[in-house]
Amino acid sequence: MKSGSLTERVESNLSGRHVSGRCLCGAVEIEIDFPAFWAWHDHSAASRRAHGAAYATYIGSWRKHARVVKGQRSIARFEDAKTESTRSFCCRCGAPLLYERKRSPHMVNIPRALFTGRTGREPRYHAAIEELQDWTYTGKRLVPLKGYPGIVWERPKSRRRPRNLMALSSLACTCPDRFLFR
């Protein structure tokens, strides 16, 4: 993205509603017209590494509907020639701010986590799902961890063992073809 391409946009939103997001330290503030164009979870290795997380959740906005309202000079950029994309970060706190792709020059993607309020879109799509890591939380039931307030965990699958091993061994003697204990 060009240095000033998100600044000084004409108010083009018909409803006049905007939503604001900011980086961790507050040096950079971004605003988009409400609602966002779309939202999705990106499981690609590049997004995983840029965010230091299992996946990144983005909202997409038309470039003309997005603005940097504070901290333009605090934005650092990384251009990835391999993916033909540009990622912008806050140079003070390192928070990811913008993700732009050469193949979509009219769109800008912003991490959903920068916004505290609604953006008008729920992330219902998954990009690069084939790169989903085996250690990623996928919505399994969580229970409180005893003795650690605020921590929840996934209980391991129970390994059911026969209650009466002697009863099974007697079955093995009468039906040796079916039960082979070695």
Side-chain angles (χ1 to χ4, degrees):
M1 172 186 345
K2 295 180 180 81
S3 180
S5 62
L6 281 183
T7 58
E8 301 176 16
R9 294 280 183 210
V10 175
E11 301 296 327
S12 57
N13 189 359
L14 295 176
S15 71
R17 292 186 57 195
H18 309 288
V19 289
S20 297
R22 68 175 190 87
C23 67
L24 179 63
C25 70
V28 179
E29 290 182 13
I30 296 171
E31 184 179 81
I32 64 163
D33 294 347
F34 184 89
F37 186 72
W38 74 316
W40 76 100
H41 303 293
D42 185 351
H43 299 273
S44 69
S47 285
R48 196 168 51 249
R49 288 188 178 100
H51 288 256
Y55 58 87
T57 302
Y58 290 103
I59 56 119
S61 176
W62 292 106
R63 187 178 302 277
K64 65 184 178 180
H65 295 267
R67 299 162 287 292
V68 173
V69 293
K70 176 184 167 190
Q72 181 69 40
R73 291 180 17 197
S74 295
I75 297 176
R77 297 165 43 81
F78 169 71
E79 294 184 23
D80 187 350
K82 182 179 176 184
T83 61
E84 294 186 320
S85 64
T86 301
R87 294 179 184 271
S88 300
F89 303 86
C90 173
C91 67
R92 289 185 59 201
C93 65
L97 299 170
L98 305 168
Y99 170 45
E100 303 160 271
R101 294 178 281 187
K102 186 177 180 180
R103 68 176 185 252
S104 302
H106 301 293
M107 296 295 291
V108 61
N109 307 301
I110 305 166
R112 174 61 180 92
L114 299 182
F115 299 89
T116 56
R118 295 182 176 270
T119 60
R121 295 287 181 253
E122 290 182 33
R124 297 180 185 236
Y125 309 96
H126 292 262
I129 193 68
E130 68 279 1
E131 296 183 47
L132 176 77
Q133 299 298 294
D134 62 353
W135 47 265
T136 302
Y137 172 69
T138 56
K140 294 178 183 160
R141 185 172 179 262
L142 301 174
V143 294
L145 182 59
K146 187 175 180 178
Y148 294 90
I151 305 295
V152 294
W153 69 302
E154 293 178 36
R155 279 201 175 119
K157 292 180 182 177
S158 64
R159 290 187 275 163
R160 298 251 170 173
R161 296 179 190 243
R163 290 183 187 243
N164 189 348
L165 204 51
M166 294 304 285
L168 283 177
S169 62
S170 67
L171 286 175
C173 294
T174 58
C175 306
D177 294 19
R178 289 186 142 167
F179 299 99
L180 298 175
F181 294 102
R182 293 186 181 172

